[in-house]
Amino acid sequence: MFLTCQGTLGIVPATMDYNGEARPGDFHAGYQEIEGINLGYLQINGTQMFALAQVLSDLFKDIPRTTISKKMETLKIKSRRCDLKELRTLKAINSLPTRAVKCSLISKADLEALCTSCKSLTPPR
């Protein structure tokens, strides 16, 4: 019902420590089709994370942002700020405009809960 296809772009190179070993923090970037819309994601520590800006502009474009914020508050959905490497990767996969200077991420589970909660608010496609 929720997911229809998935693509992965690859692994973003890890930061190397002075011993030449990769440090934790690797993440994958890819695309996930959700509700018929292709959204870019980062797979961070085993969790798919989506750019909230893209979710709002592409998936919930017909719903006021204040309504989405209230739903997120009610559902206790927390977003987290992405770091510079994550921000650059999201820009590279066209999930964010190149002029973006910050971005918040939400998990796939939280996005699914938000989609379910907002289903009655969106006009049929």
Side-chain angles (χ1 to χ4, degrees), residues 26-29 41-50 80 86 105-111:
D26 291 350
F27 54 87
H28 297 269
Y41 71 86
L42 300 176
Q43 179 112 10
I44 304 169
N45 298 326
T47 304
Q48 278 186 339
M49 302 293 285
F50 293 87
R80 82 159 181 84
E86 294 163 348
L105 301 171
I106 63 169
S107 71
K108 179 181 165 188
D110 287 341
L111 179 57

mmCIF file with all atom_site columns, all heavy atoms in Angstrom, residues 26-29 41-50 80 86 105-111:
data_model
loop_
_atom_site.group_PDB
_atom_site.id
_atom_site.type_symbol
_atom_site.label_atom_id
_atom_site.label_alt_id
_atom_site.label_comp_id
_atom_site.label_asym_id
_atom_site.label_entity_id
_atom_site.label_seq_id
_atom_site.pdbx_PDB_ins_code
_atom_site.Cartn_x
_atom_site.Cartn_y
_atom_site.Cartn_z
_atom_site.occupancy
_atom_site.B_iso_or_equiv
_atom_site.pdbx_formal_charge
_atom_site.auth_seq_id
_atom_site.auth_comp_id
_atom_site.auth_asym_id
_atom_site.auth_atom_id
_atom_site.pdbx_PDB_model_num
ATOM 1   N N   . ASP A 1 26  ? 28.537 6.326  7.943  1.00 0.00 ? 26  ASP A N   1
ATOM 2   C CA  . ASP A 1 26  ? 28.241 6.135  6.533  1.00 0.00 ? 26  ASP A CA  1
ATOM 3   C C   . ASP A 1 26  ? 26.737 6.219  6.346  1.00 0.00 ? 26  ASP A C   1
ATOM 4   O O   . ASP A 1 26  ? 25.975 5.853  7.230  1.00 0.00 ? 26  ASP A O   1
ATOM 5   C CB  . ASP A 1 26  ? 28.672 4.737  6.073  1.00 0.00 ? 26  ASP A CB  1
ATOM 6   C CG  . ASP A 1 26  ? 30.179 4.565  6.037  1.00 0.00 ? 26  ASP A CG  1
ATOM 7   O OD1 . ASP A 1 26  ? 30.887 5.565  6.191  1.00 0.00 ? 26  ASP A OD1 1
ATOM 8   O OD2 . ASP A 1 26  ? 30.619 3.430  5.850  1.00 0.00 ? 26  ASP A OD2 1
ATOM 9   N N   . PHE A 1 27  ? 26.320 6.700  5.199  1.00 0.00 ? 27  PHE A N   1
ATOM 10  C CA  . PHE A 1 27  ? 24.894 6.653  4.907  1.00 0.00 ? 27  PHE A CA  1
ATOM 11  C C   . PHE A 1 27  ? 24.691 6.454  3.417  1.00 0.00 ? 27  PHE A C   1
ATOM 12  O O   . PHE A 1 27  ? 25.549 6.790  2.613  1.00 0.00 ? 27  PHE A O   1
ATOM 13  C CB  . PHE A 1 27  ? 24.158 7.903  5.420  1.00 0.00 ? 27  PHE A CB  1
ATOM 14  C CG  . PHE A 1 27  ? 24.715 9.225  4.971  1.00 0.00 ? 27  PHE A CG  1
ATOM 15  C CD1 . PHE A 1 27  ? 24.319 9.791  3.771  1.00 0.00 ? 27  PHE A CD1 1
ATOM 16  C CD2 . PHE A 1 27  ? 25.625 9.901  5.754  1.00 0.00 ? 27  PHE A CD2 1
ATOM 17  C CE1 . PHE A 1 27  ? 24.825 11.012 3.361  1.00 0.00 ? 27  PHE A CE1 1
ATOM 18  C CE2 . PHE A 1 27  ? 26.130 11.121 5.355  1.00 0.00 ? 27  PHE A CE2 1
ATOM 19  C CZ  . PHE A 1 27  ? 25.739 11.676 4.150  1.00 0.00 ? 27  PHE A CZ  1
ATOM 20  N N   . HIS A 1 28  ? 23.580 5.846  3.087  1.00 0.00 ? 28  HIS A N   1
ATOM 21  C CA  . HIS A 1 28  ? 23.184 5.620  1.705  1.00 0.00 ? 28  HIS A CA  1
ATOM 22  C C   . HIS A 1 28  ? 22.220 6.726  1.304  1.00 0.00 ? 28  HIS A C   1
ATOM 23  O O   . HIS A 1 28  ? 21.475 7.239  2.127  1.00 0.00 ? 28  HIS A O   1
ATOM 24  C CB  . HIS A 1 28  ? 22.445 4.285  1.548  1.00 0.00 ? 28  HIS A CB  1
ATOM 25  C CG  . HIS A 1 28  ? 23.260 3.096  1.887  1.00 0.00 ? 28  HIS A CG  1
ATOM 26  N ND1 . HIS A 1 28  ? 24.008 2.419  0.958  1.00 0.00 ? 28  HIS A ND1 1
ATOM 27  C CD2 . HIS A 1 28  ? 23.451 2.438  3.051  1.00 0.00 ? 28  HIS A CD2 1
ATOM 28  C CE1 . HIS A 1 28  ? 24.615 1.404  1.539  1.00 0.00 ? 28  HIS A CE1 1
ATOM 29  N NE2 . HIS A 1 28  ? 24.294 1.396  2.812  1.00 0.00 ? 28  HIS A NE2 1
ATOM 30  N N   . ALA A 1 29  ? 22.198 7.032  0.032  1.00 0.00 ? 29  ALA A N   1
ATOM 31  C CA  . ALA A 1 29  ? 21.213 7.964  -0.506 1.00 0.00 ? 29  ALA A CA  1
ATOM 32  C C   . ALA A 1 29  ? 20.432 7.234  -1.590 1.00 0.00 ? 29  ALA A C   1
ATOM 33  O O   . ALA A 1 29  ? 20.978 6.388  -2.296 1.00 0.00 ? 29  ALA A O   1
ATOM 34  C CB  . ALA A 1 29  ? 21.901 9.187  -1.083 1.00 0.00 ? 29  ALA A CB  1
ATOM 35  N N   . TYR A 1 41  ? 15.946 10.075 -0.032 1.00 0.00 ? 41  TYR A N   1
ATOM 36  C CA  . TYR A 1 41  ? 16.159 9.744  1.381  1.00 0.00 ? 41  TYR A CA  1
ATOM 37  C C   . TYR A 1 41  ? 17.630 9.493  1.647  1.00 0.00 ? 41  TYR A C   1
ATOM 38  O O   . TYR A 1 41  ? 18.419 9.262  0.733  1.00 0.00 ? 41  TYR A O   1
ATOM 39  C CB  . TYR A 1 41  ? 15.335 8.518  1.800  1.00 0.00 ? 41  TYR A CB  1
ATOM 40  C CG  . TYR A 1 41  ? 15.832 7.211  1.210  1.00 0.00 ? 41  TYR A CG  1
ATOM 41  C CD1 . TYR A 1 41  ? 16.843 6.477  1.828  1.00 0.00 ? 41  TYR A CD1 1
ATOM 42  C CD2 . TYR A 1 41  ? 15.295 6.716  0.032  1.00 0.00 ? 41  TYR A CD2 1
ATOM 43  C CE1 . TYR A 1 41  ? 17.308 5.291  1.288  1.00 0.00 ? 41  TYR A CE1 1
ATOM 44  C CE2 . TYR A 1 41  ? 15.745 5.533  -0.510 1.00 0.00 ? 41  TYR A CE2 1
ATOM 45  C CZ  . TYR A 1 41  ? 16.759 4.817  0.114  1.00 0.00 ? 41  TYR A CZ  1
ATOM 46  O OH  . TYR A 1 41  ? 17.223 3.663  -0.437 1.00 0.00 ? 41  TYR A OH  1
ATOM 47  N N   . LEU A 1 42  ? 17.975 9.547  2.905  1.00 0.00 ? 42  LEU A N   1
ATOM 48  C CA  . LEU A 1 42  ? 19.281 9.126  3.392  1.00 0.00 ? 42  LEU A CA  1
ATOM 49  C C   . LEU A 1 42  ? 19.052 7.967  4.343  1.00 0.00 ? 42  LEU A C   1
ATOM 50  O O   . LEU A 1 42  ? 18.174 8.045  5.195  1.00 0.00 ? 42  LEU A O   1
ATOM 51  C CB  . LEU A 1 42  ? 19.989 10.262 4.139  1.00 0.00 ? 42  LEU A CB  1
ATOM 52  C CG  . LEU A 1 42  ? 20.275 11.531 3.358  1.00 0.00 ? 42  LEU A CG  1
ATOM 53  C CD1 . LEU A 1 42  ? 20.884 12.578 4.283  1.00 0.00 ? 42  LEU A CD1 1
ATOM 54  C CD2 . LEU A 1 42  ? 21.184 11.263 2.184  1.00 0.00 ? 42  LEU A CD2 1
ATOM 55  N N   . GLN A 1 43  ? 19.796 6.902  4.185  1.00 0.00 ? 43  GLN A N   1
ATOM 56  C CA  . GLN A 1 43  ? 19.716 5.775  5.118  1.00 0.00 ? 43  GLN A CA  1
ATOM 57  C C   . GLN A 1 43  ? 20.828 5.985  6.128  1.00 0.00 ? 43  GLN A C   1
ATOM 58  O O   . GLN A 1 43  ? 21.994 5.807  5.815  1.00 0.00 ? 43  GLN A O   1
ATOM 59  C CB  . GLN A 1 43  ? 19.884 4.457  4.379  1.00 0.00 ? 43  GLN A CB  1
ATOM 60  C CG  . GLN A 1 43  ? 19.844 3.254  5.272  1.00 0.00 ? 43  GLN A CG  1
ATOM 61  C CD  . GLN A 1 43  ? 18.615 2.406  5.041  1.00 0.00 ? 43  GLN A CD  1
ATOM 62  O OE1 . GLN A 1 43  ? 17.879 2.622  4.094  1.00 0.00 ? 43  GLN A OE1 1
ATOM 63  N NE2 . GLN A 1 43  ? 18.399 1.456  5.892  1.00 0.00 ? 43  GLN A NE2 1
ATOM 64  N N   . ILE A 1 44  ? 20.447 6.417  7.342  1.00 0.00 ? 44  ILE A N   1
ATOM 65  C CA  . ILE A 1 44  ? 21.410 6.758  8.384  1.00 0.00 ? 44  ILE A CA  1
ATOM 66  C C   . ILE A 1 44  ? 21.241 5.784  9.538  1.00 0.00 ? 44  ILE A C   1
ATOM 67  O O   . ILE A 1 44  ? 20.158 5.675  10.102 1.00 0.00 ? 44  ILE A O   1
ATOM 68  C CB  . ILE A 1 44  ? 21.195 8.207  8.876  1.00 0.00 ? 44  ILE A CB  1
ATOM 69  C CG1 . ILE A 1 44  ? 21.277 9.186  7.695  1.00 0.00 ? 44  ILE A CG1 1
ATOM 70  C CG2 . ILE A 1 44  ? 22.201 8.563  9.963  1.00 0.00 ? 44  ILE A CG2 1
ATOM 71  C CD1 . ILE A 1 44  ? 20.828 10.587 8.029  1.00 0.00 ? 44  ILE A CD1 1
ATOM 72  N N   . ASN A 1 45  ? 22.315 5.072  9.864  1.00 0.00 ? 45  ASN A N   1
ATOM 73  C CA  . ASN A 1 45  ? 22.287 4.084  10.953 1.00 0.00 ? 45  ASN A CA  1
ATOM 74  C C   . ASN A 1 45  ? 21.100 3.133  10.817 1.00 0.00 ? 45  ASN A C   1
ATOM 75  O O   . ASN A 1 45  ? 20.413 2.833  11.793 1.00 0.00 ? 45  ASN A O   1
ATOM 76  C CB  . ASN A 1 45  ? 22.259 4.779  12.315 1.00 0.00 ? 45  ASN A CB  1
ATOM 77  C CG  . ASN A 1 45  ? 23.493 5.611  12.556 1.00 0.00 ? 45  ASN A CG  1
ATOM 78  O OD1 . ASN A 1 45  ? 24.586 5.265  12.111 1.00 0.00 ? 45  ASN A OD1 1
ATOM 79  N ND2 . ASN A 1 45  ? 23.339 6.730  13.234 1.00 0.00 ? 45  ASN A ND2 1
ATOM 80  N N   . GLY A 1 46  ? 20.821 2.687  9.596  1.00 0.00 ? 46  GLY A N   1
ATOM 81  C CA  . GLY A 1 46  ? 19.759 1.716  9.361  1.00 0.00 ? 46  GLY A CA  1
ATOM 82  C C   . GLY A 1 46  ? 18.359 2.298  9.272  1.00 0.00 ? 46  GLY A C   1
ATOM 83  O O   . GLY A 1 46  ? 17.392 1.563  9.121  1.00 0.00 ? 46  GLY A O   1
ATOM 84  N N   . THR A 1 47  ? 18.219 3.619  9.357  1.00 0.00 ? 47  THR A N   1
ATOM 85  C CA  . THR A 1 47  ? 16.900 4.260  9.311  1.00 0.00 ? 47  THR A CA  1
ATOM 86  C C   . THR A 1 47  ? 16.814 5.166  8.098  1.00 0.00 ? 47  THR A C   1
ATOM 87  O O   . THR A 1 47  ? 17.695 5.995  7.877  1.00 0.00 ? 47  THR A O   1
ATOM 88  C CB  . THR A 1 47  ? 16.670 5.109  10.580 1.00 0.00 ? 47  THR A CB  1
ATOM 89  O OG1 . THR A 1 47  ? 16.826 4.280  11.732 1.00 0.00 ? 47  THR A OG1 1
ATOM 90  C CG2 . THR A 1 47  ? 15.282 5.728  10.583 1.00 0.00 ? 47  THR A CG2 1
ATOM 91  N N   . GLN A 1 48  ? 15.740 5.005  7.327  1.00 0.00 ? 48  GLN A N   1
ATOM 92  C CA  . GLN A 1 48  ? 15.518 5.916  6.208  1.00 0.00 ? 48  GLN A CA  1
ATOM 93  C C   . GLN A 1 48  ? 15.028 7.244  6.753  1.00 0.00 ? 48  GLN A C   1
ATOM 94  O O   . GLN A 1 48  ? 14.071 7.299  7.515  1.00 0.00 ? 48  GLN A O   1
ATOM 95  C CB  . GLN A 1 48  ? 14.479 5.362  5.242  1.00 0.00 ? 48  GLN A CB  1
ATOM 96  C CG  . GLN A 1 48  ? 15.030 4.371  4.264  1.00 0.00 ? 48  GLN A CG  1
ATOM 97  C CD  . GLN A 1 48  ? 13.993 3.952  3.231  1.00 0.00 ? 48  GLN A CD  1
ATOM 98  O OE1 . GLN A 1 48  ? 12.797 4.082  3.450  1.00 0.00 ? 48  GLN A OE1 1
ATOM 99  N NE2 . GLN A 1 48  ? 14.461 3.440  2.117  1.00 0.00 ? 48  GLN A NE2 1
ATOM 100 N N   . MET A 1 49  ? 15.700 8.318  6.344  1.00 0.00 ? 49  MET A N   1
ATOM 101 C CA  . MET A 1 49  ? 15.355 9.665  6.787  1.00 0.00 ? 49  MET A CA  1
ATOM 102 C C   . MET A 1 49  ? 15.045 10.515 5.564  1.00 0.00 ? 49  MET A C   1
ATOM 103 O O   . MET A 1 49  ? 15.811 10.515 4.599  1.00 0.00 ? 49  MET A O   1
ATOM 104 C CB  . MET A 1 49  ? 16.513 10.281 7.573  1.00 0.00 ? 49  MET A CB  1
ATOM 105 C CG  . MET A 1 49  ? 16.961 9.485  8.795  1.00 0.00 ? 49  MET A CG  1
ATOM 106 S SD  . MET A 1 49  ? 15.749 9.423  10.102 1.00 0.00 ? 49  MET A SD  1
ATOM 107 C CE  . MET A 1 49  ? 15.895 11.057 10.785 1.00 0.00 ? 49  MET A CE  1
ATOM 108 N N   . PHE A 1 50  ? 13.928 11.233 5.622  1.00 0.00 ? 50  PHE A N   1
ATOM 109 C CA  . PHE A 1 50  ? 13.465 12.043 4.509  1.00 0.00 ? 50  PHE A CA  1
ATOM 110 C C   . PHE A 1 50  ? 13.570 13.525 4.864  1.00 0.00 ? 50  PHE A C   1
ATOM 111 O O   . PHE A 1 50  ? 13.336 13.912 6.004  1.00 0.00 ? 50  PHE A O   1
ATOM 112 C CB  . PHE A 1 50  ? 12.013 11.701 4.172  1.00 0.00 ? 50  PHE A CB  1
ATOM 113 C CG  . PHE A 1 50  ? 11.850 10.305 3.635  1.00 0.00 ? 50  PHE A CG  1
ATOM 114 C CD1 . PHE A 1 50  ? 11.670 9.230  4.497  1.00 0.00 ? 50  PHE A CD1 1
ATOM 115 C CD2 . PHE A 1 50  ? 11.890 10.067 2.280  1.00 0.00 ? 50  PHE A CD2 1
ATOM 116 C CE1 . PHE A 1 50  ? 11.540 7.938  4.013  1.00 0.00 ? 50  PHE A CE1 1
ATOM 117 C CE2 . PHE A 1 50  ? 11.756 8.780  1.779  1.00 0.00 ? 50  PHE A CE2 1
ATOM 118 C CZ  . PHE A 1 50  ? 11.584 7.721  2.644  1.00 0.00 ? 50  PHE A CZ  1
ATOM 119 N N   . ARG A 1 80  ? 15.063 15.945 13.103 1.00 0.00 ? 80  ARG A N   1
ATOM 120 C CA  . ARG A 1 80  ? 16.422 16.268 13.515 1.00 0.00 ? 80  ARG A CA  1
ATOM 121 C C   . ARG A 1 80  ? 17.101 17.044 12.399 1.00 0.00 ? 80  ARG A C   1
ATOM 122 O O   . ARG A 1 80  ? 16.821 16.858 11.228 1.00 0.00 ? 80  ARG A O   1
ATOM 123 C CB  . ARG A 1 80  ? 17.202 15.021 13.888 1.00 0.00 ? 80  ARG A CB  1
ATOM 124 C CG  . ARG A 1 80  ? 17.804 14.249 12.738 1.00 0.00 ? 80  ARG A CG  1
ATOM 125 C CD  . ARG A 1 80  ? 18.953 13.389 13.266 1.00 0.00 ? 80  ARG A CD  1
ATOM 126 N NE  . ARG A 1 80  ? 19.630 12.615 12.271 1.00 0.00 ? 80  ARG A NE  1
ATOM 127 C CZ  . ARG A 1 80  ? 20.606 13.075 11.496 1.00 0.00 ? 80  ARG A CZ  1
ATOM 128 N NH1 . ARG A 1 80  ? 20.984 14.320 11.552 1.00 0.00 ? 80  ARG A NH1 1
ATOM 129 N NH2 . ARG A 1 80  ? 21.212 12.284 10.629 1.00 0.00 ? 80  ARG A NH2 1
ATOM 130 N N   . GLU A 1 86  ? 25.228 15.626 5.050  1.00 0.00 ? 86  GLU A N   1
ATOM 131 C CA  . GLU A 1 86  ? 23.885 15.167 4.693  1.00 0.00 ? 86  GLU A CA  1
ATOM 132 C C   . GLU A 1 86  ? 23.159 16.206 3.838  1.00 0.00 ? 86  GLU A C   1
ATOM 133 O O   . GLU A 1 86  ? 22.495 15.862 2.861  1.00 0.00 ? 86  GLU A O   1
ATOM 134 C CB  . GLU A 1 86  ? 23.088 14.860 5.961  1.00 0.00 ? 86  GLU A CB  1
ATOM 135 C CG  . GLU A 1 86  ? 23.638 13.698 6.750  1.00 0.00 ? 86  GLU A CG  1
ATOM 136 C CD  . GLU A 1 86  ? 23.123 13.623 8.188  1.00 0.00 ? 86  GLU A CD  1
ATOM 137 O OE1 . GLU A 1 86  ? 22.499 14.592 8.670  1.00 0.00 ? 86  GLU A OE1 1
ATOM 138 O OE2 . GLU A 1 86  ? 23.368 12.588 8.829  1.00 0.00 ? 86  GLU A OE2 1
ATOM 139 N N   . LEU A 1 105 ? 15.209 16.398 9.073  1.00 0.00 ? 105 LEU A N   1
ATOM 140 C CA  . LEU A 1 105 ? 14.927 15.044 8.591  1.00 0.00 ? 105 LEU A CA  1
ATOM 141 C C   . LEU A 1 105 ? 13.900 14.378 9.489  1.00 0.00 ? 105 LEU A C   1
ATOM 142 O O   . LEU A 1 105 ? 13.912 14.577 10.701 1.00 0.00 ? 105 LEU A O   1
ATOM 143 C CB  . LEU A 1 105 ? 16.209 14.203 8.597  1.00 0.00 ? 105 LEU A CB  1
ATOM 144 C CG  . LEU A 1 105 ? 17.375 14.708 7.761  1.00 0.00 ? 105 LEU A CG  1
ATOM 145 C CD1 . LEU A 1 105 ? 18.622 13.892 8.054  1.00 0.00 ? 105 LEU A CD1 1
ATOM 146 C CD2 . LEU A 1 105 ? 17.039 14.645 6.283  1.00 0.00 ? 105 LEU A CD2 1
ATOM 147 N N   . ILE A 1 106 ? 13.007 13.574 8.874  1.00 0.00 ? 106 ILE A N   1
ATOM 148 C CA  . ILE A 1 106 ? 12.109 12.735 9.669  1.00 0.00 ? 106 ILE A CA  1
ATOM 149 C C   . ILE A 1 106 ? 12.249 11.294 9.184  1.00 0.00 ? 106 ILE A C   1
ATOM 150 O O   . ILE A 1 106 ? 12.561 11.046 8.021  1.00 0.00 ? 106 ILE A O   1
ATOM 151 C CB  . ILE A 1 106 ? 10.630 13.194 9.619  1.00 0.00 ? 106 ILE A CB  1
ATOM 152 C CG1 . ILE A 1 106 ? 10.043 13.101 8.220  1.00 0.00 ? 106 ILE A CG1 1
ATOM 153 C CG2 . ILE A 1 106 ? 10.472 14.581 10.176 1.00 0.00 ? 106 ILE A CG2 1
ATOM 154 C CD1 . ILE A 1 106 ? 8.525  13.286 8.190  1.00 0.00 ? 106 ILE A CD1 1
ATOM 155 N N   . SER A 1 107 ? 12.018 10.376 10.087 1.00 0.00 ? 107 SER A N   1
ATOM 156 C CA  . SER A 1 107 ? 12.187 8.962  9.766  1.00 0.00 ? 107 SER A CA  1
ATOM 157 C C   . SER A 1 107 ? 11.041 8.449  8.910  1.00 0.00 ? 107 SER A C   1
ATOM 158 O O   . SER A 1 107 ? 9.959  9.043  8.848  1.00 0.00 ? 107 SER A O   1
ATOM 159 C CB  . SER A 1 107 ? 12.279 8.141  11.050 1.00 0.00 ? 107 SER A CB  1
ATOM 160 O OG  . SER A 1 107 ? 11.011 8.098  11.687 1.00 0.00 ? 107 SER A OG  1
ATOM 161 N N   . LYS A 1 108 ? 11.282 7.316  8.268  1.00 0.00 ? 108 LYS A N   1
ATOM 162 C CA  . LYS A 1 108 ? 10.263 6.684  7.434  1.00 0.00 ? 108 LYS A CA  1
ATOM 163 C C   . LYS A 1 108 ? 9.042  6.313  8.268  1.00 0.00 ? 108 LYS A C   1
ATOM 164 O O   . LYS A 1 108 ? 7.901  6.516  7.835  1.00 0.00 ? 108 LYS A O   1
ATOM 165 C CB  . LYS A 1 108 ? 10.858 5.449  6.764  1.00 0.00 ? 108 LYS A CB  1
ATOM 166 C CG  . LYS A 1 108 ? 9.889  4.692  5.905  1.00 0.00 ? 108 LYS A CG  1
ATOM 167 C CD  . LYS A 1 108 ? 10.569 3.473  5.312  1.00 0.00 ? 108 LYS A CD  1
ATOM 168 C CE  . LYS A 1 108 ? 9.566  2.510  4.760  1.00 0.00 ? 108 LYS A CE  1
ATOM 169 N NZ  . LYS A 1 108 ? 10.203 1.258  4.369  1.00 0.00 ? 108 LYS A NZ  1
ATOM 170 N N   . ALA A 1 109 ? 9.260  5.793  9.470  1.00 0.00 ? 109 ALA A N   1
ATOM 171 C CA  . ALA A 1 109 ? 8.133  5.418  10.341 1.00 0.00 ? 109 ALA A CA  1
ATOM 172 C C   . ALA A 1 109 ? 7.282  6.637  10.687 1.00 0.00 ? 109 ALA A C   1
ATOM 173 O O   . ALA A 1 109 ? 6.046  6.571  10.663 1.00 0.00 ? 109 ALA A O   1
ATOM 174 C CB  . ALA A 1 109 ? 8.655  4.741  11.607 1.00 0.00 ? 109 ALA A CB  1
ATOM 175 N N   . ASP A 1 110 ? 7.945  7.748  10.999 1.00 0.00 ? 110 ASP A N   1
ATOM 176 C CA  . ASP A 1 110 ? 7.213  8.981  11.304 1.00 0.00 ? 110 ASP A CA  1
ATOM 177 C C   . ASP A 1 110 ? 6.485  9.504  10.074 1.00 0.00 ? 110 ASP A C   1
ATOM 178 O O   . ASP A 1 110 ? 5.361  10.007 10.167 1.00 0.00 ? 110 ASP A O   1
ATOM 179 C CB  . ASP A 1 110 ? 8.150  10.052 11.860 1.00 0.00 ? 110 ASP A CB  1
ATOM 180 C CG  . ASP A 1 110 ? 8.609  9.765  13.274 1.00 0.00 ? 110 ASP A CG  1
ATOM 181 O OD1 . ASP A 1 110 ? 7.953  8.957  13.969 1.00 0.00 ? 110 ASP A OD1 1
ATOM 182 O OD2 . ASP A 1 110 ? 9.627  10.346 13.703 1.00 0.00 ? 110 ASP A OD2 1
ATOM 183 N N   . LEU A 1 111 ? 7.110  9.387  8.908  1.00 0.00 ? 111 LEU A N   1
ATOM 184 C CA  . LEU A 1 111 ? 6.476  9.827  7.669  1.00 0.00 ? 111 LEU A CA  1
ATOM 185 C C   . LEU A 1 111 ? 5.230  8.989  7.377  1.00 0.00 ? 111 LEU A C   1
ATOM 186 O O   . LEU A 1 111 ? 4.197  9.523  6.982  1.00 0.00 ? 111 LEU A O   1
ATOM 187 C CB  . LEU A 1 111 ? 7.465  9.751  6.505  1.00 0.00 ? 111 LEU A CB  1
ATOM 188 C CG  . LEU A 1 111 ? 6.936  10.161 5.139  1.00 0.00 ? 111 LEU A CG  1
ATOM 189 C CD1 . LEU A 1 111 ? 6.377  11.578 5.155  1.00 0.00 ? 111 LEU A CD1 1
ATOM 190 C CD2 . LEU A 1 111 ? 8.024  10.035 4.089  1.00 0.00 ? 111 LEU A CD2 1
#
